[in-house]
Amino acid sequence: MSEVIEYKCPACGAPLYYDINKKSMSCHYCNNVYDLEYIRRHFDEVTAEKQSDFDWVERTKYVFEPFEIEQLEGFNCPSCGGNIVTKASTATAKCPFCQHDVVISSDFSGDIRPDKVIPFRVESAEFADKYKAYVSDIRFIPKIFKDRSVLDRIVGCYVPVWEYSCICDSYIGSSYFGTATLKEFPILANENFIGKDVLYTLWPYNFRAAQEFTESCMTGFYASRYTIGAQHAMKSVDSEMKRIGSLRATYNLESKRPPKDDYSLYKFSEVKTNEVIYNRKLTYYLVPMWVMNIQHKNKKYTFAMNGQTGAMRIDKLPTTPLYGHIKPLVFLILLLLEIIFELIVYKVRGISFIDMLIPLTSSLLVFSILNYIIAGVVNDVLLRKTAKKLDVINNQNYFEVYDFVK
């Protein structure tokens, strides 16, 4: 296969794109629709470049992949011949000259080819509608977050993810003291575009709906390959699995001791355990995600949606200087109006300033309490929805290895 491939309509030669609703490749010009199986055959996509017994875990024994430093690569557009420059881990691109979408097939070939892909099932319009509905009734946030032009920044992405499973047996001496089983723990395989917090919030994905990998459904979307290799992905999780196994073994040891055992001879932190990890299974997926980044005052705010389920991830929005000062501002306005009203009343009655000073002060003290209550009510009415939406703690989802351990 060539390093760069462009999918063109077999009937008219126009560029094809992946139609989310039809779950097929479609042509804007002649309206022909082609299912992915036909595309695989017609474009000679190699769907079985890996050996039938290929195993990511075994591969790590003879292929060492360090964390990669992003570099730039250049390719020639197969349509117009123009020069396309991308980051080394970027697997799709748009030609800056003819605007055609291409797939950098060399990032998906051989034994680095993904095992499965979950195609998009939710369109960007749904993401745009949910975002607009979310920010529509939020007050006192920078205008850029309500500007309709920010919706042009929505990008459809295929994110590389490792799914890891293993079993960890724990021993104290030669005695078996328990098993910890990890099942389908997700590991973000490229952190250059999004962070773990974004992926975790949009989790889970339905992996039963995953399909055999095909480059064609990447067309028109941003896609990247992994930069965190299988060995490094497993290493970080294995160390945590051993810690969990050690804690479980020590707990089991404590629970088996007779009530009158001399606990002074044993200390929880001094028990030496030995962990053995086996039945490792690693699967390489590309998962769909709609992402929109908004830059404001040198800070990036990320909003995202699961491209399969429609689950949203909302970033904590910044506020304008006025937010948080509504209550004291309303209080001061009411106090000023009260002073003006009292001065007018006393002037109409012909009372001198010296004579009105004491009763005016007493009156203001009494009405200040009422004004404070009114200011609080106004603040709550104006900011109730805003304060609730700005508190996005419930929208964030964080999990650790132990959340997937049985």
Side-chain angles (χ1 to χ4, degrees):
M1 293 181 69
S2 61
E3 284 191 328
V4 178
I5 185 171
E6 180 187 10
Y7 291 88
K8 292 185 177 182
C9 178
C12 70
L16 292 173
Y17 73 99
Y18 180 75
D19 190 308
I20 295 176
N21 290 324
K22 296 178 182 178
K23 304 176 184 178
S24 304
M25 298 294 286
S26 298
C27 177
H28 277 304
Y29 293 88
C30 65
N31 296 320
N32 278 335
V33 178
Y34 308 93
D35 62 46
L36 297 182
E37 194 58 42
Y38 172 83
I39 293 294
R40 289 190 185 99
R41 295 195 307 270
H42 182 82
F43 288 92
D44 296 324
E45 280 195 13
V46 181
T47 58
E49 289 188 57
K50 298 177 183 176
Q51 298 295 323
S52 59
D53 60 348
F54 177 85
D55 185 278
W56 286 103
V57 178
E58 289 297 315
R59 180 177 182 270
T60 62
K61 296 179 180 179
Y62 58 87
V63 178
F64 176 72
E65 290 182 309
F67 286 94
E68 296 186 13
I69 299 175
E70 284 285 27
Q71 297 177 342
L72 296 179
E73 293 180 338
F75 303 91
N76 291 325
C77 175
S79 183
C80 71
N83 189 32
I84 302 173
V85 179
T86 69
K87 291 183 177 180
S89 65
T90 300
T92 58
K94 183 183 289 291
C95 177
F97 302 98
C98 65
Q99 299 300 307
H100 285 188
D101 293 303
V102 298
V103 177
I104 303 170
S105 56
S106 55
D107 281 331
F108 293 136
S109 62
D111 60 0
I112 64 170
R113 185 179 182 84
D115 300 307
K116 299 279 187 177
V117 60
I118 300 178
F120 275 89
R121 291 292 178 261
V122 180
E123 293 187 318
S124 61
E126 181 174 333
F127 179 29
D129 290 341
K130 286 183 176 181
Y131 175 78
K132 288 187 292 185
Y134 176 78
V135 300
S136 62
D137 55 357
I138 300 181
R139 295 183 170 94
F140 309 113
I141 59 175
K143 291 183 179 179
I144 187 174
F145 292 95
K146 291 192 175 185
D147 192 330
R148 295 182 66 87
S149 64
V150 299
L151 300 178
D152 296 334
R153 305 179 190 182
I154 297 175
V155 178
C157 310
Y158 278 101
V159 179
V161 175
W162 296 108
E163 190 182 70
Y164 184 42
S165 300
C166 67
I167 298 175
C168 178
D169 285 348
S170 297
Y171 297 85
I172 299 178
S174 59
S175 301
Y176 166 76
F177 271 88
T179 296
T181 302
L182 179 69
K183 187 175 182 181
E184 300 175 351
F185 178 71
I187 306 168
L188 181 60
N190 188 332
E191 299 181 5
N192 295 322
F193 186 70
I194 64 164
K196 293 179 182 178
D197 58 327
V198 177
L199 176 67
Y200 288 1
T201 301
L202 300 182
W203 208 261
Y205 284 86
N206 178 15
F207 284 98
R208 293 182 179 179
Q211 301 178 7
E212 291 299 322
F213 179 76
T214 173
E215 290 99 332
S216 57
C217 63
M218 305 288 111
T219 305
F221 299 100
Y222 173 85
S224 63
R225 62 176 175 83
Y226 67 81
T227 57
I228 300 174
Q231 184 176 19
H232 289 276
M234 292 189 297
K235 183 178 180 181
S236 60
V237 179
D238 284 351
S239 61
E240 180 64 12
M241 282 296 293
K242 289 181 179 181
R243 188 186 72 85
I244 294 172
S246 176
L247 290 174
R248 285 192 173 185
T250 307
Y251 175 80
N252 290 338
L253 174 65
E254 297 287 348
S255 63
K256 290 181 179 180
R257 287 180 179 154
K260 294 182 179 180
D261 193 6
D262 186 0
Y263 278 80
S264 63
L265 299 177
Y266 302 92
K267 293 185 178 179
F268 188 85
S269 59
E270 292 182 357
V271 174
K272 293 183 178 180
T273 63
N274 180 40
E275 283 71 43
V276 178
I277 296 179
Y278 60 100
N279 278 12
R280 289 184 174 95
K281 182 181 179 182
L282 200 64
T283 309
Y284 178 26
Y285 288 93
L286 290 185
V287 300
M289 188 183 299
W290 292 107
V291 179
M292 180 175 69
N293 291 317
I294 300 177
Q295 196 79 18
H296 177 69
K297 291 186 176 181
N298 299 321
K299 184 177 179 180
K300 184 175 72 173
Y301 297 86
T302 300
F303 304 87
M305 185 173 74
N306 185 314
Q308 182 189 40
T309 66
M312 286 285 289
R313 190 266 185 187
I314 302 297
D315 213 340
K316 186 174 179 63
L317 292 170
T319 57
T320 61
L322 188 57
Y323 182 81
H325 296 87
I326 297 298
K327 188 173 182 178
L329 186 60
V330 172
F331 175 79
L332 290 175
I333 292 174
L334 292 175
L335 185 62
L336 181 60
L337 291 176
E338 176 63 23
I339 293 173
I340 294 173
F341 176 77
E342 291 287 350
L343 290 175
I344 293 174
V345 170
Y346 284 119
K347 188 171 183 180
V348 170
R349 293 179 179 177
I351 302 174
S352 66
F353 179 77
I354 300 298
D355 294 334
M356 74 170 69
L357 190 58
I358 295 177
L360 176 61
T361 303
S362 301
S363 177
L364 290 178
L365 288 174
V366 174
F367 278 98
S368 291
I369 299 175
L370 180 60
N371 291 341
Y372 183 81
I373 296 173
I374 295 174
V377 173
V378 172
N379 182 79
D380 290 343
V381 171
L382 289 176
L383 301 181
R384 183 181 296 114
K385 288 185 178 180
T386 298
K388 185 177 181 180
K389 287 190 172 182
L390 290 180
D391 183 9
V392 297
I393 295 177
N394 292 331
N395 180 259
Q396 308 301 324
N397 181 31
Y398 301 98
F399 48 77
E400 301 291 344
V401 173
Y402 59 77
D403 293 316
F404 289 75
V405 172
K406 294 182 179 179

